[in-house]
Amino acid sequence: MSDLRRVIAAALTSVAGAVFVIAAMVGPAAAGPTERGALNAPLAAAGVSSVAAGYAHTCAIRTDATLWCWGSNWSGELGDGTGVDRTTPVRVGTAATWSGIDAGASHTCAVRTDHTLWCWGRNFRGQLGDGTTTNRTAPVQIGTATTWASVSAGDSHTCAVRTDGTLWCWGFNRLGQLGLGSSVYTVSTPQQVGTATTWASVTAGFAHTCATRADGTLWCWGDSSSGQLGLGSVAYSTAPAQVGTATTWSGATAGYAFTCAVRTDHTLWCWGENGYGQLGAGVTYQTTPMQVGTVNTWSRVNAGDDTACAARTDGSLWCWGNNMAGQLGDGTTTNRYAPTRVGTATTWTTGLAVNYHTCVIRTDAGLWCWGNNANAQLGDGTTTQRSAPAQVTLP
């Protein structure tokens, strides 16, 4: 566990009021409590197109393409030019051209509609990609390329896909998480991963990375101490290695030491560490992909530190794993070893972000957040933790 994880875990334990004990294996729970604010949701909803959750901060892009962030700002991860924590959303600059965003531990990266890439926040390992190790309190453009399609920010490394199908990574590489085929310690500018031009998506975890290609194959690299690469072993890899032979992977998400992915047949699969139930089943750990239940209606999944949430094609939302701070949204702080439904809404069909807190966009009612709030990452003007969804009011 990194020093940052220890600090966060200690803070969460304090917030929860007692040291937690891993729950016994449970099956899917009944629908959780009614979400706060549900009665006036249509009136208060602000249009939000995407959301990202860091360890202690949150950022969201509105449908007008403006960018807003809140929560911890110790390293400048909110991008508002200060180091001041924000208990409610604050606008990042004046640009209204933001199209996609992701948040790492204490840094944030986003793509604009002109396909430029911008990063800010903590940069100790070169994870911002600007050629330095200097923290940035406001967005800094990464290079001059205008071909960035999407970006994923991990704990201390970042990866992104370009419109030409190439894949690029930078930042910390102690365990090969950059996929460069070497054990170089840090890289402070984007480096191309191999020569393939068919990369479709990428996800950066704590110290491992996974990516899908246009042919539906899945590739992972970096740390595999808990089997999180899905290669059938615990040996790390410094270059992309194909996960099995399936050609039906539609998207993957990397947590701290586990990975989950959805296939085109809408089945859900997870592998790696399972100390909190983050694989959605009662096993110790798994070195190859394991199907989560038998349901074939999963549409997307997102993994946080030791927690995962996924939406189904019927618009329902389900979460499992670490629930120390109520990040599963089921009204409890009990860890869950199987997907547990969040409330009764069937409009969880767009953005989904998970860490020690969770934020999800509802098509009928804007942005909702819950879980840890020690650094005001829920954006409700308080630092009070909550275990059920509540609506976030954006200016």
Side-chain angles (χ1 to χ4, degrees), residues 266-351:
H266 296 297
T267 55
L268 174 64
W269 302 71
C270 293
W271 57 95
E273 183 184 5
N274 197 38
Y276 299 94
Q278 57 265 52
L279 300 189
V283 298
T284 52
Y285 69 96
Q286 185 74 20
T287 62
T288 57
M290 173 188 65
Q291 187 174 351
V292 180
T294 58
V295 174
N296 61 354
T297 56
W298 299 103
S299 60
R300 58 198 170 92
V301 62
N302 188 266
D305 204 66
D306 297 307
T307 304
C309 292
R312 290 186 180 174
T313 53
D314 63 1
S316 61
L317 180 67
W318 303 71
C319 296
W320 61 96
N322 188 351
N323 197 26
M324 181 194 302
Q327 60 263 49
L328 300 189
D330 67 348
T332 78
T333 54
T334 302
N335 298 337
R336 302 293 184 179
Y337 283 71
T340 302
R341 187 165 180 182
V342 180
T344 59
T346 57
T347 53
W348 305 102
T349 58
T350 51

Side-chain angles (χ1 to χ4, degrees), residues 78-364:
L78 300 189
D80 67 346
T82 77
V84 179
D85 290 358
R86 304 291 185 175
T87 61
T88 56
V90 60
R91 186 170 175 180
V92 180
T94 59
T97 55
W98 299 101
S99 60
I101 190 165
D102 198 31
S106 299
H107 76 290
T108 311
C109 291
V111 176
R112 288 188 179 175
T113 52
D114 63 1
H115 295 294
T116 55
L117 176 64
W118 302 72
C119 294
W120 58 96
R122 185 168 173 79
N123 197 27
F124 179 63
R125 303 294 189 186
Q127 57 263 51
L128 299 190
D130 67 348
T132 77
T133 55
T134 302
N135 292 352
R136 305 292 185 178
T137 61
V140 175
Q141 186 175 350
I142 308 308
T144 58
T146 57
T147 55
W148 298 104
S150 64
V151 64
S152 179
D155 182 87
S156 298
H157 75 291
T158 308
C159 293
V161 176
R162 287 190 177 176
T163 54
D164 62 3
T166 57
L167 175 63
W168 302 71
C169 293
W170 57 95
F172 201 28
N173 192 45
R174 186 172 69 87
L175 293 170
Q177 56 263 53
L178 301 188
L180 303 178
S182 67
S183 56
V184 59
Y185 203 64
T186 60
V187 175
S188 61
T189 58
Q191 303 293 311
Q192 187 172 350
V193 180
T195 59
T197 58
T198 55
W199 297 104
S201 68
V202 65
T203 175
F206 179 79
H208 77 291
T209 309
C210 293
T212 60
R213 288 188 178 174
D215 62 2
T217 57
L218 176 63
W219 303 71
C220 293
W221 57 95
D223 182 27
S224 193
S225 55
S226 296
Q228 58 263 48
L229 299 188
L231 304 177
S233 75
V234 293
Y236 74 92
S237 174
T238 62
Q242 187 174 347
V243 180
T245 59
T247 58
T248 54
W249 299 104
S250 58
T253 180
Y256 176 73
F258 78 107
T259 309
C260 291
V262 174
R263 289 187 176 175
T264 53
D265 63 0
H266 296 297
T267 55
L268 174 64
W269 302 71
C270 293
W271 57 95
E273 183 184 5
N274 197 38
Y276 299 94
Q278 57 265 52
L279 300 189
V283 298
T284 52
Y285 69 96
Q286 185 74 20
T287 62
T288 57
M290 173 188 65
Q291 187 174 351
V292 180
T294 58
V295 174
N296 61 354
T297 56
W298 299 103
S299 60
R300 58 198 170 92
V301 62
N302 188 266
D305 204 66
D306 297 307
T307 304
C309 292
R312 290 186 180 174
T313 53
D314 63 1
S316 61
L317 180 67
W318 303 71
C319 296
W320 61 96
N322 188 351
N323 197 26
M324 181 194 302
Q327 60 263 49
L328 300 189
D330 67 348
T332 78
T333 54
T334 302
N335 298 337
R336 302 293 184 179
Y337 283 71
T340 302
R341 187 165 180 182
V342 180
T344 59
T346 57
T347 53
W348 305 102
T349 58
T350 51
L352 171 59
V354 183
N355 213 298
Y356 285 106
H357 67 292
T358 303
C359 292
V360 188
I361 301 168
R362 279 174 52 174
T363 54
D364 65 337

Side-chain angles (χ1 to χ4, degrees), residues 3-13 55-56 324 355-356 372:
D3 291 340
L4 181 58
R5 273 170 61 88
R6 290 190 182 96
V7 169
I8 292 171
L12 289 177
T13 300
Y55 276 174
M324 181 194 302
N355 213 298
Y356 285 106
N372 184 34

